[in-house]
Amino acid sequence: MTYRYDHMHFNNRMGKKVKKESEPPSKDVFDPLPIESKKAATVVLMLNSPEEEVLAKACEAIHKFAEKGDENRSSLLGLGAVEPLSHLISHEDKLVRRNAFMALGVMAANSDVKRLLKKLNVIPSVIGKLSPEEDVVVHEFATLCLASLSVDFSCKVQISDQEGLEPLIQLLSSPDPDVKKNSVESIYNLVQDLPSRVAVRELNGVPPLLELLRSEFPVIQQLSLRTLVIITTDTDTRATFREEQGFDRLLEFLCNKEFSDLHVEALQLVSNCLEDRDSLQLIQETGGLQRLLQFITTPTLPDIQTHAVKAIYRVAQSSENRKLLHEQDIERSLVELLSLEDDSVRTATCQAIAAMSLHLASKDSFRALDGIRAVVQLLGGEVREAAAQALSSLTNSNQLNAYAVYEAEGDEGMVQQLRDVIPGAVAHAAAVLTNMAEQEVLRCSILSHGAMAALLEPLQSADTHTLVRATQAVAALACDAEGRADLRNAGGLVPLVQLLRSNHKEVRRNACWAISVCANDEPTAVEMCKLGALDLLQEINSSDNRRNKFSEIALKRLLDSNLSLKYSLTNTLASTDITMDGFYDPGQARSGQRVLTLEDLSKQPVNQRRPVIAINAKPPDTVSVDQSEERQQDSPTETRTASVLSSKGTTRTPSKGRSKGRREDDKLRDEDESKPQQEVATVTEKPWMLPYDATFHALVTKATKTILPLLAESEQYSALARLVSEVMGGAVEVDRQHDFLWELHLSELRYELQSNIIPIGQIRKGTYYHRALLYKVLADRIGVSCSLVRGEYNRAWNEVLLSVGTPHYPRCQPQPRAHLVDLIQQPGRLLRANTPQAIQYQTI
C-alpha cells in the first residue's frame, strides 16, 4: 500500500487546517509534509486523523487493499481498522463517509469482521444511510455490508427490528445495478425467516421483485427468482403475485430461451404458485400449463425436467387438478420419463405418479401403459424409495395393479426392500405388500420370499411411520395359518407385543390390530400370552386415553383363542366358545394374577390349593401299530394312565395294508437300531403332555349315542343334565349338600395322581362348578349349544336357549329364552332365567 500526503499542515495550537496562500509563514506553522507509506499499519493509524482529506484517502487506500483478498481483510482486522471505520461511516464529510463505506462494505465479507461488526452494533448506522438523498456509492456498499451481515440469524433479527427491510425494498428500484444486486441479496437472506416473508408482501415488495426479472444481469434475475420462490410459500403472497400479473412475467421468462439457465428457479416458483386452485386456473388460461408439459416432454437439462415434474407433483395435490392433468394425458409423459437415466428426474417422476395415482382413472392408465413394470424395475437402485412410494399409491385399493406388480416380480423386490436402511423405503415397501396381501395367491408368494422374517427389523424401527406400516403388513400377511406360523418361527411376536407399550397412538392401534389377527389360532395366542400381551391389553383397555376399538378386539380374540384363560379371567364361556382337548379350569384369577399354563402347573408340587380340572379325550399317539396293540394287550389300564398326549396332537389310525405296514415298521426298526445311542436318547426325550382321559372319552361316546337321537331341544338338555349328574355323584338335596364330601374326594384324587391336575373323567363326586364344566365340554363335543357361567362360593351353571311359544298367540314364532340347567338338586330341570327358582339355584 503506497500513500502520499501532499498538503498537510496544521496549526499546532488551534488544531485547525490553515490555508497556505492566505497566511504568511510563521514560526509556529508546520510546513506541508509529503509522505509515501507502504505499510497498512501506518494507514490504519491515519484513520484517527482529524483531517477529512487524510481520512478520505486512508479509507480509499484501505478499500483497495481489502479488495485484493480475504487475507488482507484479516490483516486489517488485526491492525484495528474495523472500529474506526465503523465510526467514519457516520462522518459529516460525504467523501469520508463514502470511502469509509467502501472499505467497510468490502471488509464485511470476512467472517471475523462480521462478528466484530455485530459486536460494535454497526447495523443501525448502516441502515440510516439507505435514505434516497444519500450518495449512490454509499447505497452500494451499505447494501453490500448488509448482504454480508444478513446471513447471520441475530443480524437478520436486528435488521428487521431496525426496519431495514423497507429501505432495501425501495432500493430495488435504484438505477444502479450493484445497489439492486446487493439489496435483493439482502432481502433474499432476510426472507429465510417467516416474519420477513410476510413483511415483504406488506411493504409492497412483490412488484419490484417481478420487475427485476427483466434485468440484463443474470445474477439479479436469479436472486429475484429465489426470493420470489421463498415468499410465495405464503398463501397471501401468492394472491398478490397473481394480482401483479406475476404469471405473465413468469411465462414470458420461461418462453425466453436466453434465460434457460434460470428456468430451474422459475419452475420452482411455478410449483409454489400451483398449490392454489386459482393459480392453476390462471396459468391454464395463460397457456402456462401447456408450456409446463413441454418442459416435461422436450429433451432438455435434467434439472429443468426435474423441477417441471415437481411442479406437476404440486399440481396433482388437488383432486380437481388431477382430473385436469389426466385429461392432458399426463400419465404417458410420466411413464416416458421413467426411461431416462437421471435419478433426480426418475425420483420426481415416481413422486408425481404417486400423486396422480390418487385419481382412479390414472391408476388404470399407468397399468395400461405398462408403467407399473417400469416402476418395479427401479427397485433396488437409488430411486427405490420413490419407486416404492409410487407402487404403494398405485396398488392402494386396486387389485389389478397389485397383480400387475406380482406379474412384474415386484413382490420379491418389496420383501428385499424391507431390509433397507432408509426408513421411507421400508415403510413404502411394507405398504405395497399390505395392499398385495389381500389376494391369496399374492400373499402366498410374498410369504415364500420370507416376508415375515424380513419384517422383524422394521417392527423394531425407531421411525413411527415404519412401525405403522410394518404392523399393517403383519396383520395383512398373518390372516392365514402359514403366515402366523412364519411370524412365530421368525421371532416376530416378541417385537409385535412390545409395540403395545408404544406411546404413539397410531403405532399402538395398529399393533393391537395385528395381534387380533395373530390371535386367530391357539399356538400363536398362547405364545403371545406368554410374552405378556394379555396383561398389556388389559392395561390398555383400563385406560380411557389408550383404549381403542382394536385393543378391545385384540383382547377378545386373544381370549377366544385361549378359552382356559378366558374362563379364568371373565368367568364366562359363551355358547360360541367351543372347548377343545387341552382346555383346563385353573379357577378364578384374581386381579393382576398371571394364569399359568398346564405345563407350568404340572411342575408344581402337590399342594392344598384348588385342583386344576383338565380336559383331554384324544387317544394317545402310538409309535407303531404293533407296539400299540402289544401295550393294549398287556395292560389296557396301564396304557390309559401312562400314555400322554399334547392337547394339539392328532390321532394316528392303523393302516389297512397290514403286511405292508409291518414291512415298513421292520425297516424303520432296523434303521433306528443303527443310529448312535446318543441320538436315540434324544428322540425318547419328550416334552410334557397332558394325560389322556379315557373315561371322559367314553363319556363323550355315550353322550353322542344317547343324547343326539333325541329330537326336542329340551329333551337333549335334560338328558345331558341327568347324565352329568349320574357321573358326578347323583342328585344332592340342598339341605344335604354338607354331607356330600366332594372336597375329600378331590384331595384323594390329587394324592393318588401326585398332581394338582385332575382329568375331569376321574371325578366321581362333583359339586356345581365340576358339573357345569362337564356339561359344557360334553355339550360342545356333541353339538349342543350352551354357555358356562362361574358364580361365587363354588357355584357355576349352564345357560341354554329354549324356544317357548306365547300362550295367547300360539301362531306367533316361538322366541328363544334363557334357561338354567339344574345339575344337582333336580337334575334335568330347566329353570327360566331370572326367576326366583333360578336365582335360588345360583345362590343357595
Side-chain angles (χ1 to χ4, degrees), residues 713-715 717-719 721-722 732 734 737 768 775 786-787 789 795-804 816-844:
E713 287 182 335
S714 59
E715 292 180 5
Y717 295 145
S718 297
R722 288 189 290 270
V732 181
V734 176
Q737 290 184 11
Y768 290 89
Y775 190 93
C786 79
S787 62
V789 182
R795 295 295 175 106
W797 57 87
N798 303 100
E799 291 185 1
V800 298
L801 291 177
L802 193 61
S803 298
V804 180
R817 299 181 183 278
H819 289 71
L820 271 65
V821 182
D822 188 346
L823 299 173
I824 194 166
Q825 298 173 12
Q826 299 178 35
R829 181 177 53 158
L830 301 178
L831 306 173
R832 179 81 172 271
N834 299 322
T835 60
Q837 287 180 317
I839 295 173
Q840 181 182 14
Y841 181 81
Q842 294 169 323
T843 57
I844 300 178

Side-chain angles (χ1 to χ4, degrees), residues 406 411-412 415 440-453 477 482-483 486:
Y406 166 71
D411 55 332
E412 184 176 2
V415 172
E440 184 178 359
V441 175
L442 276 60
R443 185 169 62 250
C444 293
S445 177
I446 292 168
L447 291 172
S448 69
H449 296 305
M452 286 303 192
L477 294 170
E482 180 187 357
D486 286 353

